Amino acid sequence: MFSKLVGNEDVKDMLRRLIANSRVPNSLILAGDEGVGKRQFAIEIARSFLCNEANGGEACGKCAICLRIDTFEFPAREDKNKDDYKKVFFGGHIDVGTVVHYKRTILVDAIRDLERHANFRPYEAKARFFIIDDADKMNDEASNALLKTLEEPPPTSHIFLITSRPDSLLPTIRSRCQMLRFAPVETDKVEKYLVEERKFENAEAGLAARLSRGSIGRAVSINVVEFRTARDRVLNVIKSAIQTRDLATMFRIAEELNDAKNKDKFESNLDILESLIHDVWSLKVSGDTSRVVNTDVTDDLKRLAADAARANLPSWLAEIETMRQNLAVNINRKIAADALFVSMAG
Ligand SMILES: [Zn+2]
């Protein structure tokens, strides 16, 4: 049922209308940030067609068919066998298939397999559905293979392209598909979902919801306890820069951020640093607490904002962005972090 999905009410309304009028496009791009529920919506469209108990364009969500649709079985490890990824994956329903990428690419053979299956009549239902996950990972060869199918779509087959980067799709593909755009989910809806469906504690749900930036997927994957530990360490960097001018502490934290336990999380620590600097900056400029993300440390942030007269917060953020770009070319992270912290304490 669409009503079980969180957010994007306008997309739901449009889909209900399309389904009620039997006008669901044969080729559809579902575009929007990671984790906003695009794939769940695609599955739900398929359910609305296949469920025997469907009512007013809404699947029941409970019958055997509804439960079978989203049960794809993928090979256990991605690096095992490339050949496994040269085909459409089916799960519990023979008329619902999906294509996923191998390493960073959707293989052309998988798209050719999709083309073959799309030309079959439905076995069990009145339509067939094919979901291409991360469709922007199709290379030119795969894209061109798909184009052939999109040019003359079999009337009983629907092909859904899921992507967070619609602009990376070939223009010829975009022009042959209708596009549904998904917005980030509102923070209060993410929070409600975490409490009601995922049994989060209230305080943790609030923090995870604000950190999720509108992505349900990101919200449920946040470990709030781990986040707080990391966040308190990074907060110490800002305290040292603004309040104590304690470079020794900052160098020690730079060391920790690069030790064996933390080095894989270096970039997420940069995310945390940025979000804290944003919080201090917005408090310094307006005193408005409504835009603070790290609300559980608002008092610390307010004190920092009050003491930050000399701190050039926008230039800190610019330096972090430059550093992020340099990470791609394998700079020494410890040296880069040291340099950033020296300039913050300056
Ligand atoms: Zn059903």
Side-chain angles (χ1 to χ4, degrees):
M1 286 156 71
F2 288 109
S3 51
K4 286 263 182 201
L5 303 177
V6 188
N8 283 288
E9 302 304 325
D10 49 341
V11 175
K12 287 179 199 168
D13 289 343
M14 181 185 295
L15 286 173
R16 287 189 184 110
R17 274 201 305 277
L18 289 172
I19 292 165
N21 297 318
S22 305
R23 298 185 58 130
V24 174
N26 288 91
S27 31
L28 186 63
I29 296 171
L30 295 91
D33 287 353
E34 285 304 332
V36 294
K38 304 182 292 293
R39 196 167 184 290
Q40 285 309 312
F41 273 78
I43 294 283
E44 207 52 47
I45 301 171
R47 282 198 178 114
S48 72
F49 272 77
L50 306 182
C51 170
N52 286 330
E53 316 287 323
N55 193 348
E58 292 260 358
C60 77
K62 296 188 291 250
C63 71
I65 292 175
C66 279
L67 297 178
R68 270 199 282 142
I69 286 176
D70 194 11
T71 54
F72 304 104
E73 280 181 26
F74 301 112
R77 279 181 56 107
E78 207 170 307
D79 55 2
K80 272 284 159 63
N81 191 350
K82 187 174 180 180
D83 288 342
D84 290 344
Y85 290 83
K86 293 181 175 174
K87 59 173 195 213
V88 176
F89 291 95
F90 291 90
H93 200 295
I94 197 164
D95 289 318
V96 184
T98 190
V99 167
V100 295
H101 60 94
Y102 169 75
K103 297 199 169 159
R104 290 172 178 273
T105 310
I106 292 176
L107 302 175
V108 63
D109 292 312
I111 298 296
R112 291 199 183 115
D113 193 42
L114 185 154
E115 182 186 5
R116 202 169 61 80
H117 282 292
N119 282 313
F120 294 153
R121 307 246 335 131
Y123 288 101
E124 198 186 311
K126 54 188 171 190
R128 308 200 84 196
F129 294 86
F130 301 93
I131 298 171
I132 306 178
D133 251 335
D134 296 312
D136 49 89
K137 291 193 165 66
M138 286 187 292
N139 57 17
D140 284 355
E141 207 185 357
S143 299
N144 285 319
L146 180 66
L147 260 182
K148 278 201 295 172
T149 312
L150 296 180
E151 273 162 8
E152 290 173 50
T156 52
S157 286
H158 295 268
I159 299 172
F160 298 151
L161 287 73
I162 311 264
T163 178
S164 55
R165 300 164 62 221
D167 297 341
S168 303
L169 297 171
L170 285 188
T172 40
I173 290 205
R174 287 203 305 270
S175 68
R176 281 176 177 77
C177 299
Q178 288 196 43
M179 176 117 50
L180 273 182
R181 287 193 183 272
F182 288 75
V185 180
E186 295 88 338
T187 306
D188 55 336
K189 287 189 179 161
V190 178
E191 184 173 349
K192 189 162 175 278
Y193 171 81
L194 293 177
V195 172
E196 290 177 2
E197 306 290 333
R198 298 290 185 137
K199 308 292 170 231
F200 273 54
E201 303 280 337
N202 279 323
E204 306 209 327
L207 182 58
R210 282 189 300 280
L211 292 169
S212 74
R213 301 194 297 278
S215 160
I216 295 280
R218 202 178 289 134
V220 297
S221 71
I222 291 170
N223 178 326
V224 176
V225 176
E226 260 177 36
F227 169 80
R228 282 215 179 96
T229 307
R231 200 266 322 276
D232 291 348
R233 176 163 49 219
V234 174
L235 185 60
N236 261 331
V237 171
I238 303 183
K239 287 179 177 168
S240 303
I242 290 179
Q243 290 167 330
T244 56
R245 299 286 159 104
D246 178 0
L247 261 179
T249 297
M250 296 174 87
F251 288 154
R252 183 179 51 72
I253 297 172
E255 190 100 28
E256 279 176 32
L257 294 178
N258 286 284
D259 68 16
K261 224 169 57 202
N262 294 301
K263 66 178 197 298
D264 293 341
K265 297 180 188 133
F266 191 77
E267 290 191 49
S268 70
N269 278 306
L270 285 185
D271 290 342
I272 298 171
L273 182 59
E274 280 183 324
S275 93
L276 287 166
I277 295 171
H278 268 293
D279 284 349
V280 175
W281 187 13
S282 74
L283 286 170
K284 178 184 169 182
V285 171
S286 69
D288 175 13
T289 52
S290 70
R291 292 176 60 190
V292 170
V293 171
N294 297 276
T295 43
D296 54 328
V297 288
T298 302
D299 290 344
D300 290 291
L301 296 169
K302 277 185 181 164
R303 277 193 291 277
L304 285 165
D307 294 341
R310 284 185 62 244
N312 188 344
L313 302 171
S315 88
W316 292 5
L317 291 170
E319 281 183 55
I320 295 170
E321 272 318 300
T322 308
M323 182 170 164
R324 229 185 250 285
Q325 286 157 21
N326 291 339
L327 289 178
V329 289
N330 237 342
I331 52 160
N332 181 317
R333 294 171 171 196
K334 172 69 169 70
I335 293 174
D338 284 351
L340 172 70
F341 292 171
V342 166
S343 131
M344 287 169 66

